[in-house]
């Protein structure tokens, strides 16, 4: 079985699914099979909730104050397991929970999932990736045609619900696109994280 919990740069991550509704051109999944101390992040079968909880209990959280749901898939595609395992960690280990997401969860589930997420997740990082719908479609290749406006709506709803919400881009974008993304974030009062591409 693939690693469910893994560490990378002094942070612990939960890899609860390989399902994803995007096929990003830059996705690390197409470059290598593992990240950090994991052997592989490709699951032979999707992890059950019991397997996820067992992996959580087997991990020593000493020295960690946050668990990040982020792996070789989009965590909200495994929404029930995400909610249940985040609640379990909060109650048993008393650490913060962060969700790294593509922000398409409402589109995928055809309903607003943010109230459920906000009950168990403290902070959320949403991949913006591009300053226009056209560029977004080209780089993330989502299953949906209307993904970009849905992502922006998701981000605004999230910003009203979580202790910390951020949009993220990588620093390989041209300067004019970074400025346009900054404007999009500023207009919504959301912090923009410009990540180093690695
Ligand atoms: S949304 Fe994340 S997991 Fe899915 S293809 Fe894009 S980078 Fe990869």
């Amino acid at each position: 079985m693939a690693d469910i919990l893994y560490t990378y740069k002094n942070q612990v991550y939960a890899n609860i699914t390989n399902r994803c509704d995007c096929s990003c051109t830059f996705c690390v999944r197409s470059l290598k099979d593992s990240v950090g101390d994991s052997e592989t992040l490709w699951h032979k079968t999707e992890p059950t909730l019991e397997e996820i909880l067992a992996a959580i209990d087997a991990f020593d959280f000493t020295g960690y104050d946050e668990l990040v749901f982020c792996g070789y898939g989009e965590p909200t595609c495994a929404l029930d397991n995400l909610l249940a395992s985040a609640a379990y960690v909060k109650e048993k280990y008393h650490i913060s929970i962060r969700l790294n997401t593509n922000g398409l969860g409402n589109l995928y589930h055809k309903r607003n999932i943010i109230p459920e997420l906000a009950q168990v997740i403290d902070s959320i990082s949403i991949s913006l990736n591009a300053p226009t719908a056209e560029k977004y479609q080209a780089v993330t290749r989502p299953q949906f045609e209307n993904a970009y406006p849905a992502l922006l709506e998701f981000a605004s709803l999230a910003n009203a619900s979580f202790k910390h919400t951020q949009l993220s881009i990588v620093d390989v974008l041209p300067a004019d696109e970074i400025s346009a993304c900054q404007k999009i974030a500023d207009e919504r009062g959301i912090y923009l994280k410009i990540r180093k591409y690695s």
Side-chain angles (χ1 to χ4, degrees):
M1 188 169 70
D3 292 298
I4 296 176
L5 262 65
Y6 67 100
T7 63
Y8 177 62
K9 292 186 178 176
N10 298 320
Q11 184 78 56
V12 56
Y13 294 89
N15 172 45
I16 65 167
T17 183
N18 287 152
R19 293 202 301 267
C20 186
D21 45 359
C22 289
S23 178
C24 299
T25 55
F26 55 82
C27 185
V28 67
R29 304 192 303 176
S30 61
L31 301 174
K32 53 187 184 176
D33 293 336
S34 65
V35 170
D37 68 351
S38 64
E39 287 185 17
T40 176
L41 293 176
W42 289 112
H43 300 294
K44 287 203 172 71
T45 58
E46 284 285 292
T48 64
L49 179 59
E50 290 69 28
E51 288 168 338
I52 295 169
L53 299 188
I56 288 167
D57 284 337
F59 187 82
D60 180 2
F61 284 97
T62 306
Y64 295 95
D65 58 9
E66 183 182 64
L67 174 64
V68 184
F69 282 83
C70 175
Y72 272 19
E74 164 53 39
T76 60
C77 288
L79 184 62
D80 289 346
N81 286 351
L82 168 63
L83 295 171
S85 54
Y88 182 81
V89 170
K90 278 194 86 66
E91 188 176 332
K92 188 164 181 184
Y93 297 100
H94 311 291
I95 59 174
S96 295
I97 306 291
R98 172 155 58 99
L99 169 64
N100 289 359
T101 178
N102 62 17
L104 303 183
N106 286 356
L107 203 52
Y108 184 85
H109 291 284
K110 299 188 178 70
R111 61 186 169 85
N112 181 11
I113 64 171
I114 287 176
E116 295 158 76
L117 295 174
Q119 284 186 19
V120 292
I121 286 163
D122 301 288
S123 62
I124 186 164
S125 181
I126 303 163
S127 300
L128 179 60
N129 289 320
T132 66
E134 188 183 9
K135 286 189 164 65
Y136 181 85
Q137 290 291 128
V139 78
T140 68
R141 301 180 293 191
Q143 288 176 7
F144 315 102
E145 285 184 6
N146 54 339
Y148 197 65
L151 152 64
L152 295 179
E153 185 187 20
F154 184 93
S156 293
L157 290 170
N159 198 35
S161 301
F162 294 94
K163 284 183 201 146
H164 177 72
T165 298
Q166 68 181 30
L167 288 162
S168 76
I169 56 173
V170 284
D171 63 358
V172 294
L173 291 182
D176 62 325
E177 292 190 21
I178 291 178
S179 297
C181 290
Q182 187 69 64
K183 187 162 178 281
I184 287 167
D186 291 347
E187 284 169 352
R188 290 162 178 80
I190 303 174
Y191 174 72
L192 180 70
K193 171 87 172 176
I194 304 173
R195 293 186 293 108
K196 285 216 168 305
Y197 184 74
S198 61

